[in-house]
Amino acid sequence: MVKLRNGGKAGIVMKIGVLALQGAVVEHIRSLELAGAEAVAIKRVEELEGLDGLVVPGGESTTIGKLMRKYGFIEAIREFSAQGKAVFGTCAGLIVLASEIEGQDEAHLELMNMKVQRNAFGRQRESFETDLNVTGINEPIRAVFIRAPLIAEVGEGVEVISTYKDEIVAARQNHLLACSFHPELTDDYRLHAYFVDMAREAAAGRS
Amino acid sequence: METGTSRVKRGMAEMQKGGVIMDVMNAEQAKIAEAAGAVAVMALERVPSDIRAAGGVARMADPTIVEEVTKVVSIPVMAKARIGHYVEAKVLESMGVDYIDESEVLTPADEVFHLNKNEFTIPFVCGAKDLGEALRRIQEGASMIRTKGEPGTGNVVEAVRHLRLIHGQIRKVQNLSKDELFHEAKLLGVPYDLLLQVAEAGKLPVVNFAAGGVATPADAALMMHLGAEGVFVGSGIFKSDNPEKFARAIVEATTHYTDYRLITEVSKNLGTPMKGIDIKTLQGFDRMQDRSV
């Protein structure tokens, strides 16, 4: 048993991977470490071995999706999730997790039962930041939306945990978490801590 | 709700990290770039090597080209405005371009003043040869830096020089005491506070891509190895024999820049890269990197 570095909840330190094909990887690693996890960048499927959870970061979803296909990550992450291991997608990562992408025939991981709309708030000119309430987190968090997607519809088993102007911007389905915005771009690591807790619950459920 | 904040503008560049931004001249090339895995496209009337060949004054692209490119891709679209050309930049902003490159590749409209980029809602990327230049652009509001290199040459030597210089200068300021930093800020011609940030963080406060002469997958990987956070490829792709294959290979080599076997594989049978120019043959105004400081 190793003690948490941030002096938070006692327990085993969760080892969380951040998919490092493209996008904001080091920011997630920093936030996960602040949340008391051990965080590593993942570039090939073999590196998923031994992880308790995985973050699919923000970036360009078309680029990340193509590289995931090329290097066998689609099947590998589906298998990872099937083992009950936690996965968190932010912005592009949310698109990658969805079962359906509006206007596209093909989705990527198809793990979360939801339909997403890309660039839903407009172009970069319309990108913004705002305070947002998230179910399970006490005070509002500062949410940065960059050419962000939104969740147009959720299916069975998906719990909406945050909305902005009546649009769904964060959701959870058992051990899977997704949000439209970028919690990794602020110093507030509470959403990462929430995810690390999910990974810990999932790990307890597996053992 | 706030738009155009520094976090929103710089954050956009953070999302491009580890990726390749490709110059395109029309809708068809933009589709090829997106399909190859580009994280953004730079919509241009001519790529830098054609600008060199044509001579004369290079200006903002015809808005039609930018519009056509914007219509066919879902990834971000960037476009270039001349240095100090307020109206070209405002036109691009009003068109909904996602990022403006205030670029020395075009003929400068102002040889003294750069734009005050802080007052724009959309973010800017600017070129830099050294730390002083990078921090002056950031002070003016640039949300992303690209080391200049020498555009349109297919010769990576200047890109290497500029990236190495900036990183060397960052390592130097990390080792200076506070009193020495005041003096260094004066020598570099930059605000002390910004230099202090760099000294403490050991990196620029914005994302730094490499540009200007990247012509092969190995060139792109070299820039990543030297600490670039991504690469711009201008003439290199659509001046090569097989742009589609070339573009895919450069994307893969950038992602896996330490996987030399993978770079070997993607480099096979790519055909002839762009011809390239020896930097020593460029004089005066043909050296685009010297058009701004």
Side-chain angles (χ1 to χ4, degrees), chain B residues 181-251:
Chain B
L181 265 185
F182 286 116
H183 182 66
E184 189 67 17
K186 189 176 68 183
L187 292 180
L188 289 175
V190 301
Y192 170 76
D193 291 345
L194 210 43
L195 192 64
L196 180 64
Q197 262 186 54
V198 171
E200 286 174 352
K203 67 184 291 295
L204 292 177
V206 302
V207 167
N208 181 14
F209 271 41
V214 175
T216 66
D219 284 352
L222 173 65
M223 299 319 293
M224 297 300 286
H225 165 75
L226 291 173
E229 294 178 291
V231 292
F232 282 90
V233 185
S235 321
I237 289 167
F238 291 101
K239 286 288 159 188
S240 71
D241 275 357
N242 187 343
E244 217 165 324
K245 206 169 163 188
F246 226 88
R248 275 202 308 269
I250 288 186
V251 169

Side-chain angles (χ1 to χ4, degrees), chain B:
Chain B
M1 197 277 275
E2 296 165 74
T3 58
T5 62
S6 168
R7 189 146 59 191
V8 166
K9 294 200 282 189
R10 291 179 181 185
M12 161 76 198
E14 302 286 349
M15 298 312 136
Q16 303 269 296
K17 283 193 298 193
V20 182
I21 299 172
M22 301 181 191
D23 279 0
V24 299
M25 292 177 284
N26 52 49
E28 187 202 347
Q29 291 183 352
K31 281 194 262 186
I32 291 173
E34 184 176 47
V39 289
V41 288
M42 177 80 73
L44 293 166
E45 203 155 305
R46 284 174 291 176
V47 293
S49 65
D50 287 344
I51 291 176
R52 274 187 193 287
V57 173
R59 310 177 180 89
M60 175 185 82
D62 183 329
T64 319
I65 295 174
V66 181
E67 264 173 19
E68 279 172 8
V69 166
T70 306
K71 247 181 255 167
V72 300
V73 296
S74 63
I75 54 177
V77 176
M78 300 185 170
K80 288 184 196 290
R82 280 180 271 177
I83 291 172
H85 205 308
Y86 182 82
V87 173
E88 283 188 353
K90 278 291 171 190
V91 166
L92 293 173
E93 181 176 55
S94 76
M95 287 174 68
V97 161
D98 295 297
Y99 234 96
I100 297 176
D101 184 358
E102 187 184 20
S103 177
E104 70 282 1
V105 169
L106 304 183
T107 313
D110 192 320
E111 291 186 335
V112 180
F113 303 107
H114 278 73
L115 295 169
N116 173 9
K117 295 163 276 289
N118 293 300
E119 70 162 64
F120 285 75
T121 306
I122 61 165
F124 279 75
V125 55
C126 284
K129 299 184 291 292
D130 55 48
L131 183 59
E133 199 174 356
L135 294 183
R136 284 191 290 280
R137 297 296 89 80
I138 292 166
Q139 182 70 12
E140 294 157 2
S143 306
M144 181 182 191
I145 291 294
R146 54 174 171 74
T147 44
K148 283 177 170 174
E150 190 53 47
T153 60
N155 186 340
V156 82
V157 67
E158 295 298 295
V160 168
R161 190 192 316 280
H162 298 156
L163 195 60
R164 274 199 181 273
L165 178 57
I166 289 184
H167 286 172
Q169 288 175 304
I170 291 174
R171 281 192 294 275
K172 181 187 166 196
V173 300
Q174 279 184 287
N175 288 314
L176 295 181
S177 61
K178 284 253 168 89
D179 46 348
E180 290 170 329
L181 265 185
F182 286 116
H183 182 66
E184 189 67 17
K186 189 176 68 183
L187 292 180
L188 289 175
V190 301
Y192 170 76
D193 291 345
L194 210 43
L195 192 64
L196 180 64
Q197 262 186 54
V198 171
E200 286 174 352
K203 67 184 291 295
L204 292 177
V206 302
V207 167
N208 181 14
F209 271 41
V214 175
T216 66
D219 284 352
L222 173 65
M223 299 319 293
M224 297 300 286
H225 165 75
L226 291 173
E229 294 178 291
V231 292
F232 282 90
V233 185
S235 321
I237 289 167
F238 291 101
K239 286 288 159 188
S240 71
D241 275 357
N242 187 343
E244 217 165 324
K245 206 169 163 188
F246 226 88
R248 275 202 308 269
I250 288 186
V251 169
E252 285 201 66
T254 304
T255 299
H256 288 292
Y257 64 93
T258 58
D259 187 337
Y260 309 115
R261 285 179 61 178
L262 180 141
I263 299 171
T264 308
E265 286 310 309
V266 301
S267 300
K268 283 179 182 167
N269 302 314
L270 279 182
T272 315
M274 67 179 287
K275 182 160 175 279
I277 299 173
D278 185 338
I279 301 297
K280 293 188 191 71
T281 64
L282 296 178
Q283 301 290 327
F285 200 69
D286 286 335
R287 281 171 60 88
M288 291 175 175
Q289 57 178 283
D290 296 336
R291 292 173 175 181
S292 57
V293 288

Side-chain angles (χ1 to χ4, degrees), chain A residues 91-92 94-95 116-121 147-151 169 180:
Chain A
C91 193
L94 169 144
I95 298 168
V116 299
Q117 189 189 344
R118 294 181 60 202
N119 301 332
F121 295 92
R147 288 171 46 95
L150 61 76
I151 303 171
V169 293
S180 302

